[in-house]
Amino acid sequence: MKKTVAVLHGDGIGQEVTESAVKVLQSIGRRFDHTFQIEKGLIGGIAIDQTGNPLPKETVELCEKSDAVLLGAVGGPKWDQNPSELRPERGLLGIRKHFGLFANLRPVKAIKGMSEASPLKDHLSKDVDMMIVRELTGGLYFGEPKRKTHNGAVDTMSYSREEVERIVEQGFELARLRKGKVTSVDKANVLETSKLWREVVEEKKSHYPDVEVEHLLVDAAAMKLITQPGSFDVVVTENLFGDILSDEASVLTGSLGMLPSASIRSDGFGLYEPVHGSAPDIAGLNIANPSAAILSVAMMMKYSFGMETEAAAVEAAVYSVFEDGYCTTDVQKSGHKVLSTTAFTDKVVEELEREFVSDHILSAYV
């Protein structure tokens, strides 16, 4: 199979971890006899510096000709004083909006042997395995009017029924592939948009009799993520709540550097990126954790390319490196050897290549 992947390194450690992800992508190609054509583009702060635009026209055109997009990270203090339209984050919001990437998928899963890295007690963190499904193109971040004056400011939270229906359906479909439970998070006791949200969930659940449905107000959900994180399967919620709750959930495993994400639409086209930021304080030091970027490649295999076996191989390789006693500085623990970004990546590639060699040896005897 041949696929074109647009690679947008972005800012800070995005440059480093994206290179790790590309190495793993190339390794998958060798092992499974696929061809991944890499096309590079600019986004975020580096795009502002070079083109004056956080999302250049050339980048949009590149992504339009690609089968999926791999992104590093955007942002940094260098651009903090820029006007809002020239902030690196505008590039990220713009690409999501342009391509209609309405569903953000964030898996949060405990890794065997790494519970020490979690701020929670082991009996709480060891069973964490959830998927947060966040609506990505509507709500408070995109609603109009949106303005700031000397005397005040206004943001508008707005949702159409269609926008709510498609993300809720995404949550139900994913639950069917997992443990069969959906937790819908809203603020229906206060917000009109949340009342619509809960109404839609109640309507849709009749089409999924095999899925258990739970409604939680967002404040209760925030508490339960800390006190009973193992009780969640699929969490579906709107843009603002999803932004906050997914970041809260991400620390359950101990580091943002270990968690991937996907922003997809109905036809499978998607943008894949680690959930961490650009971390300019450690950029260029070769110590960033590349796991999230590498696992984002696994999500690309699964959700955009339908390559379930390849996705599982990448996940297994990353988990195996941790289980073999290796880690990066952000999750270092007693008894583990701390590796640089490139050394950790090489270990993951070695694990994939080892399986590749084993497969060929076995096939020789068939």
Side-chain angles (χ1 to χ4, degrees), residues 33-348:
D33 197 24
H34 301 311
T35 299
F36 296 109
Q37 183 173 330
I38 305 300
E39 300 289 346
K40 297 180 180 181
L42 299 174
I43 193 171
I46 190 173
I48 294 171
D49 290 348
Q50 294 190 24
T51 72
N53 189 332
L55 182 61
K57 174 185 173 184
E58 293 78 10
T59 297
V60 173
E61 292 174 348
L62 169 65
C63 295
E64 286 174 342
K65 294 184 290 186
S66 302
D67 298 298
V69 181
L70 179 65
L71 171 67
V74 298
K78 179 180 179 180
W79 305 280
D80 281 351
Q81 303 307 313
N82 284 16
S84 60
E85 68 274 12
L86 288 178
R87 294 289 297 272
E89 295 78 11
R90 282 290 161 187
L92 182 55
L93 292 173
I95 199 169
R96 289 170 177 171
K97 192 72 173 179
H98 178 85
F99 289 98
L101 305 176
F102 68 89
N104 181 235
L105 312 182
R106 284 200 184 186
V108 182
K109 184 177 182 180
I111 297 177
K112 183 179 178 182
M114 296 303 295
S115 60
E116 263 186 39
S118 174
L120 299 184
K121 294 179 179 178
D122 183 67
H123 73 278
L124 292 175
S125 63
K126 66 183 179 66
D127 295 325
V128 172
D129 184 4
M130 72 182 79
M131 176 73 79
I132 297 182
V133 182
R134 166 191 170 194
E135 201 289 321
L136 209 55
T137 58
L140 202 62
Y141 294 170
F142 295 98
E144 295 291 344
K146 178 189 297 289
R147 62 178 178 269
K148 179 181 180 296
T149 66
H150 175 71
N151 294 320
V154 61
D155 291 290
T156 301
M157 181 180 286
S158 175
Y159 271 109
S160 68
R161 176 173 287 271
E162 180 186 5
E163 287 176 315
V164 179
E165 286 179 341
R166 65 184 182 180
I167 193 67
V168 167
E169 288 172 354
Q170 187 79 49
F172 275 108
E173 292 294 337
L174 284 169
R176 275 185 164 171
L177 300 175
R178 291 172 50 90
K179 294 176 284 187
K181 180 182 177 181
V182 164
T183 299
S184 174
V185 176
D186 59 40
K187 193 65 175 173
N189 59 335
V190 176
L191 301 177
E192 295 302 318
T193 49
S194 282
K195 292 174 184 176
L196 171 64
W197 185 280
R198 188 169 292 208
E199 182 181 302
V200 170
V201 173
E202 283 297 297
E203 290 172 1
K204 292 294 179 182
K205 77 176 186 180
S206 63
H207 302 292
Y208 299 89
D210 51 329
V211 176
E212 177 188 353
V213 176
E214 171 187 41
H215 293 283
L216 282 180
L217 297 177
V218 63
D219 39 0
M223 290 187 288
K224 194 171 181 180
L225 273 174
I226 300 302
T227 58
Q228 301 176 57
S231 68
F232 292 101
D233 178 21
V234 173
V235 177
V236 62
T237 190
E238 63 86 47
N239 205 342
L240 175 64
F241 299 159
D243 191 1
I244 296 168
L245 292 178
S246 58
D247 278 353
E248 180 189 9
S250 67
V251 303
L252 299 178
T253 60
S255 172
L256 288 173
M258 297 166 68
L259 298 174
S261 76
S263 300
I264 63 174
R265 63 190 188 195
S266 299
D267 65 357
F269 179 85
L271 175 128
Y272 299 86
E273 58 178 319
V275 305
H276 61 67
S278 62
D281 56 320
I282 62 169
L285 300 181
N286 196 26
I287 61 173
N289 188 341
S291 302
I294 293 170
L295 291 171
S296 293
V297 169
M299 294 189 77
M300 180 190 296
M301 297 297 106
K302 184 173 184 178
Y303 294 108
S304 281
F305 300 161
M307 299 178 181
E308 297 274 353
T309 301
E310 291 85 336
V314 175
E315 291 175 358
V318 172
Y319 298 155
S320 179
V321 173
F322 280 116
E323 290 170 15
D324 286 346
Y326 299 99
C327 65
T328 46
T329 56
D330 56 322
V331 288
Q332 60 182 300
K333 54 176 287 188
S334 57
H336 274 58
K337 182 179 180 180
V338 177
L339 300 179
S340 66
T341 305
T342 51
F344 188 94
T345 303
D346 290 343
K347 285 289 182 184
V348 174

Side-chain angles (χ1 to χ4, degrees), residues 19-31:
E19 279 303 300
S20 294
V22 169
K23 286 182 181 179
V24 170
L25 191 61
Q26 293 167 336
S27 179
I28 298 167
R30 291 191 295 271
R31 178 175 171 184

